[in-house]
């Protein structure tokens, strides 16, 4: 059951996020990070999405630790899940006109900073888990970890450029796929 939870985590997060994008007025994936969906009247949906997905990732991490016999796999992947959960409690800052009526530039808040820090720690756990699993599963794991690292740095360094946001979105989908494939492999 723990590995099934891990298999569900990525598709759940991606599907709910895509549905939010379709129904949230003013959201533009070339201008806004998915995390910004946690703002506005329906922001609670994305916050819940992060928390539920994070719990599923942690369950999957426990399952992978048991299946592989590697405590480090469990620790690193749990960091990712806990980062998601923490990011669900600390919303990213609004901005760039989302939610509608928000100014283009908004000062960085304490909760926005916490969102970034917790997400970043979680992403390091994910990258580490991918690279560690590469020894067992090969190229797909290595590529996922490296692509995710590059996409996260590019998004942060690009200042919200469309290519940075879309590249990171693609990396999130890739990482979600990796988690599903990895948990299914060990299931």
């Amino acid at each position: 059951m723990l590995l099934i939870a891990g298999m569900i985590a990525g598709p759940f997060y991606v599907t709910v996020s895509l549905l939010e994008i379709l129904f949230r007025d003013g959201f533009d994936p070339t201008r806004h990070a998915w995390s910004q969906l946690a703002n506005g009247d329906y922001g609670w949906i994305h916050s819940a999405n992060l928390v539920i997905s994070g719990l599923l990732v942690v369950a999957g991490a426990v399952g992978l630790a048991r299946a592989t016999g590697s405590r480090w796999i469990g620790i690193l992947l749990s960091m990712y899940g806990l980062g998601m959960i923490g990011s669900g409690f600390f919303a990213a800052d609004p901005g760039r006109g989302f939610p509608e009526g928000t100014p283009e530039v908004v000062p960085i808040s304490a909760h926005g900073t916490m969102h970034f820090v917790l997400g970043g720690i979680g992403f390091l756990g994910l990258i580490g888990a991918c690279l560690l699993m590469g020894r067992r599963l090969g190229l797909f794991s290595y590529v996922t970890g490296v692509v995710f690292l590059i996409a996260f740095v590019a998004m942060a360094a690009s200042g919200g450029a469309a290519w940075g946001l879309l590249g990171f979105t693609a990396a999130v989908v890739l990482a979600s796929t990796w988690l599903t494939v990895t948990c299914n492999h060990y299931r």
Side-chain angles (χ1 to χ4, degrees), residues 39-117:
N39 294 289
D41 292 339
Y42 298 102
W44 65 270
I45 295 171
H46 196 72
S47 294
N49 184 20
L50 283 164
V51 171
I52 293 166
S53 298
L55 290 169
L56 291 168
V57 169
V58 171
V62 172
L64 280 173
R66 290 179 182 173
T68 63
S70 171
R71 185 171 51 136
W72 279 106
I73 296 289
I75 290 169
L76 291 169
L77 204 50
S78 288
M79 281 174 55
Y80 176 52
L82 293 171
M84 292 180 81
I85 293 166
S87 294
F89 287 105
F90 293 96
D93 289 318
R96 303 188 85 183
F98 185 81
E100 289 184 325
T102 301
E104 191 69 20
V105 178
V106 175
I108 298 172
S109 68
H111 64 82
T113 300
M114 286 300 296
H115 177 86
F116 187 77
V117 168

Side-chain angles (χ1 to χ4, degrees):
M1 290 306 293
L2 294 170
L3 291 170
I4 291 172
M7 288 173 54
I8 294 169
F12 181 85
Y13 178 74
V14 170
T15 300
V16 171
S17 296
L18 291 174
L19 287 170
E20 287 181 277
I21 290 167
L22 287 174
F23 294 105
R24 296 287 302 273
D25 291 334
F27 188 88
D28 179 353
T30 65
R31 289 182 39 83
H32 308 114
W34 283 11
S35 290
Q36 288 180 285
L37 288 164
N39 294 289
D41 292 339
Y42 298 102
W44 65 270
I45 295 171
H46 196 72
S47 294
N49 184 20
L50 283 164
V51 171
I52 293 166
S53 298
L55 290 169
L56 291 168
V57 169
V58 171
V62 172
L64 280 173
R66 290 179 182 173
T68 63
S70 171
R71 185 171 51 136
W72 279 106
I73 296 289
I75 290 169
L76 291 169
L77 204 50
S78 288
M79 281 174 55
Y80 176 52
L82 293 171
M84 292 180 81
I85 293 166
S87 294
F89 287 105
F90 293 96
D93 289 318
R96 303 188 85 183
F98 185 81
E100 289 184 325
T102 301
E104 191 69 20
V105 178
V106 175
I108 298 172
S109 68
H111 64 82
T113 300
M114 286 300 296
H115 177 86
F116 187 77
V117 168
L118 292 169
I121 291 169
F123 295 156
L124 289 175
L126 171 66
I127 293 162
C130 288
L131 297 178
L132 188 58
M133 286 300 288
R135 293 178 50 201
R136 297 167 188 260
L137 296 177
L139 190 59
F140 181 48
S141 285
Y142 287 126
V143 168
T144 300
V146 171
V147 166
F148 197 90
L149 173 62
I150 291 168
F152 179 62
V153 170
M155 180 188 65
S158 74
W163 64 268
L165 290 169
L166 294 174
F168 185 69
T169 299
V172 167
V173 172
L174 176 64
S176 297
T177 303
W178 172 84
L179 181 59
T180 298
V181 168
T182 301
C183 287
N184 186 55
H185 174 80
Y186 282 97
R187 185 178 64 85

